[in-house]
Amino acid sequence: MAKKDYTASNIQVVEGLDAVRLRPGMYIGSTGVRGLHHILWEIVDNGMDEVANGYGDSISVTVHADGSVSVEDNGRGIPVDMHPTMKVSGVEVVFTQLHAGGKFDSENYSYSGGLHGVGASVTNALSRWLNVEVYKNGTTYKIEFESVEKDGKVHGGLVKNKLVDTKEKTKKHGTKVTFMPDDRIFETTKFSIDTISRRLKELAFLNKGAHITLVDERTSYGESFLKREFYYEGGLIDFVKDLNEIKTPAFDTPVYIEGEKDNVLAQLALQYTDAYTENIFSYVNNIPTSEGGTHETGFKIALTRVLNDWARKLGVLKDKEPNLQGEDFREGLTAVLSVKMQNVQFEGQTKTKLGNTEARLAVESIVLSELNAYFDKHRAVAEIAVKKGVLAAKVREAARKQKELTRAKNSIDNFHTVGKLKSCTGKKPELNELFIVEGDSAGGTCTQARNRSFQAILPLRGKPLNAEKKRIDQVLANEEIRTLISALGADFGKDFNIDDLRYHKVVILSDADQDGMHIRAILLTFFFRYMRELITEGHVYIGLPPLYRISKRGQTEYAYDDAALEKLKKEMGKGVEIQRYKGLGEMNAEQLWETTMDPKTRKLVRVAIEDAAEAERLVSTLMGDAVEQRRNYIIEHANFNKEDTFMDIVNK
Ligand code: TTJ
């Protein structure tokens, strides 16, 4: 950063931001990669807000070669004039006052609420340096902040330069913020292009017409840097189409409605597909609300009412028949709900659940009237939706009967697992591990190899069925699946209760071949669809058996991939004997314990879902009908073991 303007008169120590540096976790959750991206979202969201409010139409994010990032919008520019009570410029207030948000309300020069998070000052506090350029009134203004180290400590927070009129004339208008995340705070300061891309794409869907650009100057192809552009004319309609890309929609164009009530603006796009699950993605002020909340509740209530009314209007439901349940109208539904409002209150474990009661009332009323109006114009769509609901209700009834039947047969809860599950002796679920093993023979070896005080083995015979392609009653009819459900002890679907889980580590152990990969994908799909928390709470793991055994005169090593094999070959020199394992079955109990089951030496991959929309797409791709896409996907991501949005490798 340029230091030329520093003189005693125009530098000043920023106080108050020390609190953020002292306890970063309190403000951004963590100092890992998530926290790192959080300080970027803080800036991006502010620029995006300006665009979303119609004061600009583009925003660009550039990751520079030195690891810093710039975010630029073409909005009005943060105010540069003196704040009436704080006696410093608006820009300074935004970047130095905690809880000041990132924007001002232009009318009364008060902070505008509505944006999530903690404000741009937190990004400033957690950066080595940050500078802001404001283009306004034909002039470029600039202010720079820097953290200064003294005796190994960051001295008094940040040092800032005065806001200066650079005397540079410009026709531009807007705000550009560049910052370097502080490597003394973050475990990593490397921004992920995939993570940024995903968020910018989502923002482009949520704000139709916005031009969003991402440039990565760390990656170049010949002369040009990596560049991605996101722009969707259709907004939420395009979003739903994208989510359903590889599914089979029940009608061509997604339903789209919008409306405003009591200062709550709601936009909604939806489309049914032939899938059996419901996929609702909701947002408040562009922030994903993955735990749902009042706006989602309002939408669901209204959808159920409108469709029940139409079911009667169209004669699909007779007068004396009872109303259908909400869930019946959400089978195979893909919907995106985006709400914009003031004074947002977030609740829930991860603060991603909207709590404002007024949002429920407003969304309910908007959806009631607008969806009715839409169906008046598109009766065929109403009819498809209603008929799907009726079918879903029938299936639900069949599943209930099937479940009761199963329960009756299972008067002892463990009926299905007797003779199959080799349970462990330990009684503490936190310590217990369940290995789901492909095939009876590998299951037998695992049973010999295991430490029975905490490791249980469940061999699966043949392939369990693909949960993605089956209705719930068919899923339940499958013996292998029922065995699995009763072994885990926590029920499934709506009744799934993670507190009853008998094993806190559930390890899928299958061969490193096509078949093994398929079984793994099928099990993951089942968990994703019917026990999602098992994945989101981090209980699901994939065991990594070694691919090679390399031995030489009494010394034995294992390699888990080809690179490791090459390395070992070099290290061990000539005269080594290499055995390639084609499956778990080729290992004896001792080898299996040592390489795959012993917590001290084994490798496990924890299955993680970073992003719900991405995971949804991934699972549909892998397990749905779109054979071509699936093949491509499997080739691209051939081993599930690579670090990727779905998985995250842990060694334990
Ligand atoms: C507020 O009302 C007067 C005119 O300017 C409005 C404002 O604050 N605009 C604004 C802020 N546009 N862009 C920002 C902004 C952009 C980035 C990239 C980062 C931050 C913290 C704010």
Side-chain angles (χ1 to χ4, degrees):
M1 153 181 181
K3 298 227 165 73
K4 56 182 183 333
D5 291 329
Y6 276 175
T7 65
S9 69
N10 65 7
I11 63 173
Q12 196 190 321
V13 170
V14 176
E15 279 163 32
L17 294 187
D18 302 13
V20 183
R21 294 186 65 88
L22 221 54
R23 290 205 176 72
M26 293 248 303
Y27 298 85
I28 56 165
S30 79
T31 52
V33 275
R34 273 191 113 97
L36 175 73
H37 288 84
H38 194 130
I39 67 167
L40 172 58
W41 307 148
E42 215 48 60
I43 302 300
V44 170
D45 289 356
N46 279 298
M48 200 61 228
D49 190 60
E50 184 76 357
V51 171
N53 285 305
Y55 298 110
D57 66 356
S58 62
I59 176 160
S60 69
V61 175
T62 306
V63 184
H64 301 288
D66 65 359
S68 64
V69 195
S70 294
V71 180
E72 179 168 354
D73 71 36
N74 63 350
R76 294 165 294 177
I78 307 180
V80 290
D81 52 328
M82 193 77 88
H83 188 279
T85 52
M86 302 212 204
K87 308 285 179 219
V88 288
S89 71
V91 191
E92 279 188 49
V93 176
V94 164
F95 286 92
T96 58
Q97 300 299 307
L98 266 180
H99 310 299
K103 296 194 64 170
F104 286 100
D105 189 309
S106 46
E107 270 148 50
N108 52 13
Y109 221 118
S110 67
Y111 311 124
S112 80
L115 283 176
H116 84 126
V118 284
S121 60
V122 167
T123 304
N124 193 20
L126 301 177
S127 294
R128 266 200 182 252
W129 52 260
L130 178 147
N131 60 56
V132 188
E133 284 175 41
V134 176
Y135 318 106
K136 218 179 166 86
N137 322 322
T139 311
T140 305
Y141 303 87
K142 201 166 182 172
I143 187 166
E144 302 175 322
F145 301 84
E146 188 169 23
S147 72
V148 175
E149 221 169 317
K150 206 169 138 191
D151 312 321
K153 275 191 184 151
V154 177
H155 170 71
L158 301 161
V159 166
K160 78 166 187 294
N161 208 329
K162 250 189 190 153
L163 177 72
V164 290
D165 174 345
T166 62
K167 307 286 179 232
E168 211 180 289
K169 294 294 148 206
T170 180
K171 287 206 173 81
K172 290 211 280 194
H173 54 91
T175 306
K176 178 178 174 181
V177 177
T178 306
F179 67 96
M180 176 69 88
D182 196 331
D183 55 2
R184 294 161 302 193
I185 298 276
F186 293 101
E187 288 147 39
T188 170
T189 52
K190 191 162 174 267
F191 284 102
S192 152
I193 279 305
D194 284 344
T195 304
I196 302 175
S197 273
R198 231 184 297 131
R199 175 63 179 150
L200 295 185
K201 184 175 177 185
E202 177 176 64
L203 284 171
F205 279 134
L206 291 169
N207 301 278
K208 72 173 154 215
H211 294 267
I212 305 182
T213 313
L214 170 62
V215 176
D216 188 356
E217 295 179 350
R218 301 168 307 181
T219 313
S220 55
Y221 302 107
E223 300 278 276
S224 52
F225 296 123
L226 183 149
K227 185 172 179 181
R228 290 182 189 163
E229 286 168 305
F230 305 100
Y231 165 78
Y232 298 103
E233 239 169 31
L236 296 192
I237 294 180
D238 289 342
F239 199 165
V240 167
K241 281 186 184 163
D242 187 75
L243 287 166
N244 285 347
E245 193 187 321
I246 49 151
K247 296 182 177 169
T248 312
F251 42 88
D252 279 347
T253 312
V255 173
Y256 178 80
I257 57 166
E258 61 179 29
E260 189 179 349
K261 191 169 200 287
D262 302 333
N263 285 322
V264 176
L265 186 86
Q267 298 172 293
L268 170 74
L270 62 86
Q271 189 178 42
Y272 286 92
T273 70
D274 65 347
Y276 299 110
T277 48
E278 90 180 47
N279 272 305
I280 302 174
F281 297 97
S282 64
Y283 298 83
V284 175
N285 300 342
N286 290 333
I287 304 152
T289 36
S290 25
E291 295 174 282
T294 47
H295 56 333
E296 243 186 76
T297 308
F299 158 57
K300 288 179 182 173
I301 293 172
L303 182 75
T304 310
R305 270 230 352 236
V306 171
L307 286 174
N308 267 316
D309 288 352
W310 276 90
R312 293 190 192 284
K313 213 184 285 187
L314 295 170
V316 179
L317 260 190
K318 299 283 174 291
D319 282 350
K320 54 183 187 309
E321 290 175 306
N323 269 353
L324 300 184
Q325 293 184 11
E327 61 183 279
D328 298 329
F329 289 124
R330 297 197 296 274
E331 190 178 287
L333 174 73
T334 301
V336 179
L337 171 67
S338 169
V339 167
K340 304 264 166 79
M341 61 183 293
Q342 292 277 304
N343 307 318
V344 176
Q345 285 149 23
F346 287 110
E347 299 173 347
Q349 281 204 321
T350 54
K351 293 268 174 282
T352 55
K353 182 176 179 180
L354 183 65
N356 304 56
T357 43
E358 73 271 24
R360 185 178 73 75
L361 299 170
V363 173
E364 188 182 329
S365 136
I366 293 165
V367 175
L368 273 179
S369 58
E370 298 302 319
L371 198 56
N372 255 322
Y374 187 94
F375 285 152
D376 268 330
K377 287 201 208 95
H378 304 85
R379 287 186 168 243
V381 173
E383 195 167 333
I384 291 169
V386 160
K387 286 187 170 157
K388 267 191 81 77
V390 170
L391 185 67
K394 285 196 182 122
V395 172
R396 174 169 52 79
E397 191 48 30
R400 194 184 57 78
K401 286 194 180 125
Q402 169 73 261
K403 198 165 178 177
E404 263 169 17
L405 221 71
T406 311
R407 286 243 165 86
K409 265 201 291 184
N410 274 14
S411 49
I412 323 161
D413 195 28
N414 279 339
F415 172 81
H416 286 285
T417 60
V418 172
K420 279 189 190 157
L421 177 74
K422 301 283 176 271
S423 51
C424 55
T425 53
K427 295 281 172 258
K428 290 203 175 112
E430 315 80 83
L431 305 178
N432 288 350
E433 304 179 344
L434 176 69
F435 283 80
I436 305 173
V437 189
E438 172 188 355
D440 274 340
S441 90
T445 316
C446 278
T447 307
Q448 282 173 16
R450 67 168 173 164
N451 177 337
R452 63 175 297 167
S453 71
F454 68 100
Q455 292 178 320
I457 312 292
L458 179 67
L460 286 189
R461 229 170 276 144
K463 277 185 196 173
L465 91 179
N466 182 352
E468 181 69 9
K469 292 208 221 149
K470 297 286 184 248
R471 291 191 325 238
I472 187 144
D473 55 330
Q474 297 168 296
V475 170
L476 264 184
N478 179 277
E479 183 83 19
E480 303 297 303
I481 295 285
R482 279 212 305 268
T483 310
L484 182 56
I485 295 170
S486 61
L488 292 173
D491 217 322
F492 73 101
K494 272 203 309 295
D495 300 324
F496 182 72
N497 183 0
I498 197 129
D499 297 334
D500 295 335
L501 189 64
R502 296 204 186 116
Y503 307 90
H504 280 208
K505 277 205 177 75
V506 176
V507 184
I508 302 172
L509 209 52
S510 59
D511 291 338
D513 57 11
Q514 281 284 324
D515 254 14
M517 194 171 71
H518 196 209
I519 287 178
R520 201 153 68 196
I522 283 176
L523 283 167
L524 288 174
T525 305
F526 172 73
F527 291 145
F528 184 76
R529 288 284 175 239
Y530 297 104
M531 303 183 173
R532 192 163 297 190
E533 269 181 281
L534 204 61
I535 299 182
T536 55
E537 298 295 310
H539 293 296
V540 182
Y541 296 79
I542 284 164
L544 286 191
L547 291 180
Y548 305 96
R549 174 173 191 262
I550 307 128
S551 50
K552 182 182 176 179
R553 272 179 266 116
Q555 184 197 359
T556 303
E557 302 289 340
Y558 297 95
Y560 292 82
D561 56 42
D562 290 334
L565 174 70
E566 290 313 313
K567 193 161 162 264
L568 277 172
K569 276 207 279 195
K570 276 212 191 77
E571 279 168 18
M572 292 168 73
K574 283 200 193 333
V576 294
E577 193 184 306
I578 298 169
Q579 183 188 356
R580 193 193 148 91
Y581 290 123
K582 285 196 237 29
L584 291 163
E586 293 177 25
M587 267 182 269
N588 64 32
E590 196 187 329
Q591 291 166 346
L592 194 63
W593 165 254
E594 211 171 273
T595 60
T596 315
M597 299 180 76
D598 180 359
K600 285 207 242 6
T601 48
R602 72 188 177 194
K603 277 183 199 294
L604 295 183
V605 178
R606 177 189 249 144
V607 178
I609 304 182
E610 263 295 313
D611 173 80
E614 192 60 24
E616 178 57 41
R617 238 184 318 256
L618 187 66
V619 169
S620 317
T621 312
L622 284 172
M623 305 317 296
D625 286 323
V627 178
E628 192 56 27
Q629 272 102 338
R630 177 165 71 219
R631 228 201 3 252
N632 291 341
Y633 195 92
I634 292 182
I635 291 165
E636 256 176 64
H637 297 76
N639 69 49
F640 252 57
N641 308 335
K642 289 241 173 72
E643 192 182 5
D644 119 17
T645 52
F646 206 52
M647 310 274 152
D648 114 59
I649 298 197
V650 289
N651 267 314
K652 54 165 102 110

